[in-house]
Amino acid sequence: MLLVLSAEHRAHLGCLPRAGGAAVGELGRLALEQLRRGAAPRACETAARKLNIGVDTIQHGVEGLVYLLTESSKLMISEVDFQDSIHVLGFSDELNKSLLQLYLDNRKEIRSILGELAPRLPSYHSLEWRLDVQLASRSLRQQSKPAVTMKLHLNQNDDQTAQVLQTDPATLLHLIQQLEQALGEMKMNHCRRIVRNMK
């Protein structure tokens, strides 16, 4: 699977050959620090003075590397696919090897950082439901008013929570049809490809 780089990301990475071989290691270190701790403008200014390069060039190079490393790590791109992805940039073999080594050395750490940044969403535990039907009231002697009450138990951060939901059968049936349609669409090749790339 190849990583497709936009024109903007190509432009940001395009400053790497101008920065020189020694600068790639420094930009890689800054990119990893940005992933760990967030943006550090002072570190970019210090690197710019040390390497005698413009601050904008350093910042663009770091942004390009952050994108390249995070997207490649998300998709767990193989060595060959990574090389093919950066080959389109037209870099020298030495620069391509430096980028590959930077990726291989840090992809596990980057995946763990991205995992920590991902939102912790609640997960399904169990569902209780009940069907209530009101057959009569003081004002109406004969009526049929069904209602479905559901208690949805969720796990979130080792805690259990419950949500109580109530609806009429017609709305519930519509919701079921919509979910079945969405599940049917998930079986299409296009959706499978998207889901594979998200993992």
Side-chain angles (χ1 to χ4, degrees), residues 96-128:
N96 285 343
K97 284 178 185 173
S98 299
L99 290 172
L100 175 63
Q101 198 57 50
L102 182 68
Y103 167 64
L104 293 175
D105 291 345
N106 297 291
R107 66 180 167 187
K108 287 183 182 174
E109 181 187 357
I110 293 168
R111 278 186 69 84
S112 74
I113 290 169
L114 293 174
E116 290 169 11
L117 295 175
R120 300 280 186 247
L121 299 173
S123 61
Y124 171 82
H125 181 263
S126 63
L127 176 74
E128 298 174 47

Side-chain angles (χ1 to χ4, degrees), residues 80-96:
V80 175
D81 287 341
F82 185 85
Q83 288 174 323
D84 290 343
S85 297
I86 60 174
H87 182 74
V88 298
L89 298 169
F91 293 163
S92 67
D93 288 342
E94 183 185 334
L95 182 53
N96 285 343

Side-chain angles (χ1 to χ4, degrees), residues 16-44:
L16 294 178
R18 286 178 280 150
V24 172
E26 182 67 19
L27 291 176
R29 186 188 65 75
L30 287 172
L32 291 169
E33 282 301 310
Q34 183 169 327
L35 280 170
R36 290 182 194 121
R37 296 190 179 93
R42 286 187 182 169
C44 288

Side-chain angles (χ1 to χ4, degrees), residues 40-192:
R42 286 187 182 169
C44 288
E45 290 170 8
T46 305
R49 279 195 303 274
K50 185 168 121 180
L51 298 168
N52 200 19
I53 302 171
V55 176
D56 287 344
T57 304
I58 295 286
Q59 287 176 337
H60 288 288
V62 169
E63 288 170 15
L65 279 175
V66 165
Y67 178 81
L68 178 68
L69 294 172
T70 54
E71 292 303 310
S72 300
S73 299
K74 272 185 207 174
L75 302 173
M76 282 303 281
I77 290 179
S78 68
E79 246 179 86
V80 175
D81 287 341
F82 185 85
Q83 288 174 323
D84 290 343
S85 297
I86 60 174
H87 182 74
V88 298
L89 298 169
F91 293 163
S92 67
D93 288 342
E94 183 185 334
L95 182 53
N96 285 343
K97 284 178 185 173
S98 299
L99 290 172
L100 175 63
Q101 198 57 50
L102 182 68
Y103 167 64
L104 293 175
D105 291 345
N106 297 291
R107 66 180 167 187
K108 287 183 182 174
E109 181 187 357
I110 293 168
R111 278 186 69 84
S112 74
I113 290 169
L114 293 174
E116 290 169 11
L117 295 175
R120 300 280 186 247
L121 299 173
S123 61
Y124 171 82
H125 181 263
S126 63
L127 176 74
E128 298 174 47
W129 63 275
R130 182 180 73 215
L131 177 64
D132 295 318
V133 181
Q134 184 176 350
L135 299 174
S137 66
R138 288 182 184 176
S139 57
L140 289 171
R141 296 227 178 240
Q142 290 185 336
Q143 67 175 349
S144 178
K145 190 175 172 186
V148 179
T149 305
M150 296 169 282
K151 189 172 186 181
L152 182 63
H153 297 274
L154 304 170
N155 290 331
Q156 186 169 19
N157 302 332
D158 298 327
D159 293 330
Q160 267 199 8
T161 59
Q163 298 288 329
V164 177
L165 310 164
Q166 189 172 42
T167 185
D168 62 286
T171 304
L172 183 61
L173 186 60
H174 177 71
L175 181 61
I176 290 169
Q177 289 169 346
Q178 292 296 311
L179 289 172
E180 285 175 348
Q181 181 182 348
L183 286 172
E185 288 176 4
M186 285 296 293
K187 293 177 183 172
M188 295 171 60
N189 288 335
H190 178 68
C191 288
R192 283 183 182 167

